[in-house]
Amino acid sequence: MVLRRIAWVALAALSVGLIAHALWHDAEVLLRLLRKQILGADYSCFWAGAKTALHNPSKLYDFLYVTDVQGWPLGPRDIRPYIYPPSALFVFIPFALIPGYLPGFALWVGVTGALYLWAARAVGAPWWVALFPCVLLVVDCGQMPFIMGGLVIGALALKDRPNLAGVMLGLAACLKPQFVVLAPLAFALDGRWRTLIVAGVTAAVICAASVLIWGPQIWLDWLAALPRFKELVTTNIGLLRTGATPYAWLTRAGYQGAWAYLLAPFAVAAVWFAFSRPMEPADRLFALFGATILISPYAMNYEYVLLAPSVAIYLSRVRDPRWPAYLLCAAGFFAYIWHPPALYFALALPLVRYTPAPLPIAPPQLGLFKS
């Protein structure tokens, strides 16, 4: 028994050391990023798209035009398009109307970050998930995972408020539809049909409003822009290096990225397994978001924010005999968010938990582990 306790403490200490090293490295990378680009460099695409929709909507999916509207974030040679559907403009425009770019960016990060943290806490994540490197990366660049995570995780958490959950899920579909492609299956398996109906009505109303305001041609322009955006991504080595998907990894290695779609049956099976039976929120989030990233053609390292609440929940389980193994998985998650595959380390957490036999070690009976 003494040797098992020593082994547990030794493995936990090693894991903590690896996490500390990974976090130190992440802090250095974040500081270098701050010196390289301005705050809100990715938010500039939303801002420019909203400005274009207000003043020259026919140019919304003209990549060079929208890049020129931004002008300054990363230099004139960096193509930075607006590629979100027209329905997303209803969220972006209010922030673009705020006088000054930085005030709008600060409000965007504040509002969407608060929504994300609320949703994470609602499913049981500790507050310190806000300090995760991938979360701080989104604070720096102003990307979409805060609002997408807040809406989808919040919809999952609000089981007793199906109408509000449906509105949130429908809005998420209007912002980034590829990231809710598996959500209908998840909510249907969970028996939340009213939420799905309200989500469909919400999305239909928002899309219809966009057609009434900007006309149907803007949707055709968006569909025509998607192949051009795909070509832009798959020929950019920097984007491929930080891509979070198997599609990006295969493309970077010189293979056909579409081979990644062979993972689709496994992704559907994971969602089916997680939502067809009682299961904790952390594991359901791993299944839903992990499966989505696996089959998505385009997702960047900041999308790991969607997995962060589940990782934090596992890290907080200090009384679990497998906790040192959770720490090791988390160390890999932190160490590889810049050049993936952090995804694999995150998805290893539920696999470790549900291994048939427990680890041959046990936590020491210290005060830290008492209720």
Side-chain angles (χ1 to χ4, degrees):
M1 181 64 69
V2 173
L3 291 178
R4 293 177 66 186
R5 291 181 180 179
I6 292 175
W8 192 95
V9 172
L11 184 56
L14 172 64
S15 302
V16 169
L18 291 173
I19 287 180
H21 180 269
L23 292 177
W24 182 264
H25 170 71
D26 291 341
E28 291 181 332
V29 175
L30 277 170
L31 289 174
R32 288 201 301 269
L33 186 64
L34 283 171
R35 290 193 291 266
K36 180 181 178 182
Q37 66 181 34
I38 67 163
L39 283 171
D42 288 349
Y43 167 79
S44 65
C45 302
F46 316 149
W47 175 85
K51 292 288 187 182
T52 303
L54 290 172
H55 302 294
N56 197 355
S58 65
K59 294 286 189 179
L60 183 61
Y61 296 105
D62 183 327
F63 292 178
L64 290 177
Y65 181 88
V66 173
T67 299
D68 289 341
V69 171
Q70 298 166 71
W72 37 262
L74 289 177
R77 293 186 179 274
D78 292 289
I79 304 299
R80 301 179 64 76
Y82 175 88
I83 197 57
Y84 296 91
S87 51
L89 292 168
F90 293 110
V91 171
F92 299 142
I93 285 176
F95 295 94
L97 291 175
I98 296 172
Y101 177 81
L102 287 178
F105 162 68
L107 186 62
W108 165 261
V109 170
V111 172
T112 60
L115 175 66
Y116 170 78
L117 189 57
W118 164 79
R121 296 284 289 155
V123 295
W127 66 267
W128 36 264
V129 69
L131 303 178
F132 276 25
C134 54
V135 174
L136 297 179
L137 173 61
V138 176
V139 172
D140 169 59
C141 69
Q143 258 292 344
M144 291 284 284
F146 280 168
I147 191 168
M148 289 301 297
L151 291 172
V152 177
I153 298 172
L156 287 169
L158 293 174
K159 297 192 70 169
D160 57 341
R161 302 188 66 180
N163 292 337
L164 178 57
V167 170
M168 295 172 71
L169 185 62
L171 181 56
C174 290
L175 289 170
K176 206 167 185 178
Q178 71 271 29
F179 263 78
V180 294
V181 67
L182 293 173
L185 174 62
F187 280 80
L189 289 170
D190 204 27
R192 299 177 62 179
W193 295 103
R194 183 169 179 175
T195 293
L196 283 176
I197 293 172
V198 173
V201 172
T202 299
V205 169
I206 294 174
C207 291
S210 70
V211 172
L212 289 174
I213 294 173
W214 291 291
Q217 182 60 43
I218 199 170
W219 280 92
L220 299 176
D221 292 343
W222 174 61
L223 292 174
L226 293 178
R228 291 187 284 119
F229 180 72
K230 178 182 177 181
E231 182 180 1
L232 180 68
V233 171
T234 54
T235 55
N236 186 315
I237 189 62
L239 293 178
L240 291 177
R241 288 178 69 241
T242 55
T245 68
Y247 191 104
W249 307 334
L250 287 169
T251 303
R252 183 188 174 195
Y255 299 102
Q256 177 57 251
W259 285 107
Y261 296 142
L262 293 176
L263 294 171
F266 300 98
V268 171
V271 174
W272 189 284
F273 180 82
F275 286 88
S276 62
R277 67 203 67 206
M279 191 165 283
E280 295 183 4
D283 297 325
R284 286 187 162 186
L285 291 179
F286 272 138
L288 180 58
F289 290 132
T292 300
I293 294 174
L294 279 176
I295 62 175
S296 177
Y298 177 71
M300 302 301 292
N301 52 2
Y302 44 72
E303 314 287 3
Y304 293 136
V305 165
L306 301 173
L307 301 173
S310 295
V311 174
I313 289 171
Y314 268 82
L315 282 178
S316 66
R317 293 172 174 169
V318 294
R319 298 186 65 176
D320 191 320
R322 296 174 174 85
W323 187 59
Y326 299 159
L327 290 174
L328 282 173
C329 293
F333 177 74
F334 293 137
Y336 289 99
I337 66 164
W338 305 104
H339 302 293
L343 172 65
Y344 292 147
F345 288 96
L347 296 184
L349 285 165
L351 295 179
V352 169
R353 182 187 180 195
Y354 291 107
T355 49
L359 298 179
I361 50 179
Q365 300 301 309
L366 303 176
L368 174 64
F369 305 101
K370 292 181 180 178
S371 302

